[in-house]
Amino acid sequence: MKLENIRIVMIGTSHPGNVGAAARAMHNMGISRLSLVDPQCPIGDVAYARASGANVILDNRETHADLGAAIADCSRIIATTARRRSLPWPELDPREMAESVFALDDKRQVALVFGREHSGLSNDELQMCHQMVCIPTNPGFSSLNVASAIQVICYEIFRYQAEPYQLPEPEGPDLPASSAEVEGYIEHLRETLDGCGFLNPQQPEMIMQRLRRIYMRNELTRSEIHILRGILSSVGKQLG
Ligand code: SAH
């Protein structure tokens, strides 16, 4: 895994100082790709002042309307959160996160996703992630400033890269599916289940979220997505 394949995604950030401080933290740790999703503040003097010279990170930032667009080419998406959720999620500490990232080969694109200052990540955003990383903190006061959280996560990545061992991932023609491919499949599944009357029209999301967890737990490959979509297409034909 190369540092340039790792991007930091900040969703709905409302304070420009946090974007600047995040840029500084990233640059200190050799991570250069910053994606802003639906930023709620202008990136101007305040952000640049807090970046303290890490201007290149801000100059080269990307901006996207939603998380899907920011991670479309990524095949490992890691959410960061201080909160534990009711649905079971594979949860890593920062050290384990760095280890799992560096076990991937350098054809992979990895996104580390950070939430809004006041409300963190929405459940829909979390649903798009494979893993969750939680920085251990005082249980009575667990939420870090978003730029501080980015600092800790980037530090663990930087530190791990100096370590000797790397597990090469077997890579054949069967590459891991990208987020856009998985989302395409899940949409196809939703349409099919809707078409055959399986989904409760009042609460389609309940079952869709559970199904989604099965797929996100397994890191599907492209050919598996191909098979799964083939099944749905056959069902679709039968249904007319
Ligand atoms: N009240 C919000 C706090 C958001 S803090 C909530 O409960 O979700 C802003 C962002 O910083 C979070 O979305 C997360 O990306 C990151 N963050 C804060 N504390 C963290 C922690 N202990 N571990 C991992 N990420 C954390």
Side-chain angles (χ1 to χ4, degrees), residues 63-76:
T63 305
H64 296 281
D66 57 36
L67 177 59
I71 61 172
D73 60 331
C74 294
S75 59
R76 176 67 62 84

Side-chain angles (χ1 to χ4, degrees), residues 117-193:
E117 289 95 333
H118 296 297
S119 54
L121 295 169
S122 70
N123 267 322
D124 283 349
E125 288 155 356
L126 261 178
Q127 300 279 341
M128 300 181 81
C129 301
H130 298 100
Q131 295 168 326
M132 195 169 97
V133 56
C134 184
I135 301 165
T137 48
N138 171 359
F141 193 63
S142 63
S143 173
L144 274 75
N145 166 269
V146 63
S148 304
I150 290 173
Q151 180 76 77
V152 172
I153 295 296
C154 291
Y155 167 70
E156 285 293 346
I157 288 172
F158 182 77
R159 195 173 78 146
Y160 194 85
Q161 103 8 119
E163 290 185 13
Y165 91 86
Q166 285 195 15
L167 284 175
E169 271 217 339
E171 283 287 356
D174 201 7
L175 294 169
S178 67
S179 173
E181 287 161 339
V182 174
E183 291 305 319
Y185 166 67
I186 289 174
E187 198 41 47
H188 195 168
L189 179 63
R190 180 202 302 277
E191 284 163 13
T192 309
L193 294 179

Side-chain angles (χ1 to χ4, degrees), residues 26-45:
M26 290 169 61
H27 204 29
N28 284 145
M29 298 299 146
I31 294 176
S32 53
R33 193 157 170 194
L34 175 62
S35 275
L36 303 182
V37 171
D38 188 27
Q40 299 296 306
C41 58
I43 308 303
D45 291 349

Side-chain angles (χ1 to χ4, degrees), residues 167-238:
L167 284 175
E169 271 217 339
E171 283 287 356
D174 201 7
L175 294 169
S178 67
S179 173
E181 287 161 339
V182 174
E183 291 305 319
Y185 166 67
I186 289 174
E187 198 41 47
H188 195 168
L189 179 63
R190 180 202 302 277
E191 284 163 13
T192 309
L193 294 179
D194 201 32
C196 63
F198 180 77
L199 290 181
N200 174 352
Q202 258 71 57
Q203 279 189 313
E205 281 318 311
M206 242 169 73
I207 194 78
M208 284 313 299
Q209 288 190 3
R210 301 303 294 264
L211 289 171
R212 178 186 269 279
R213 288 313 306 149
I214 299 173
Y215 297 110
M216 295 311 281
R217 198 157 56 222
N218 285 312
E219 201 165 82
L220 297 170
T221 65
R222 283 187 174 165
S223 68
E224 287 165 345
I225 292 274
H226 195 71
I227 296 168
L228 289 168
R229 293 197 71 150
I231 296 170
L232 295 182
S233 297
S234 303
V235 173
K237 271 190 209 131
Q238 292 294 321

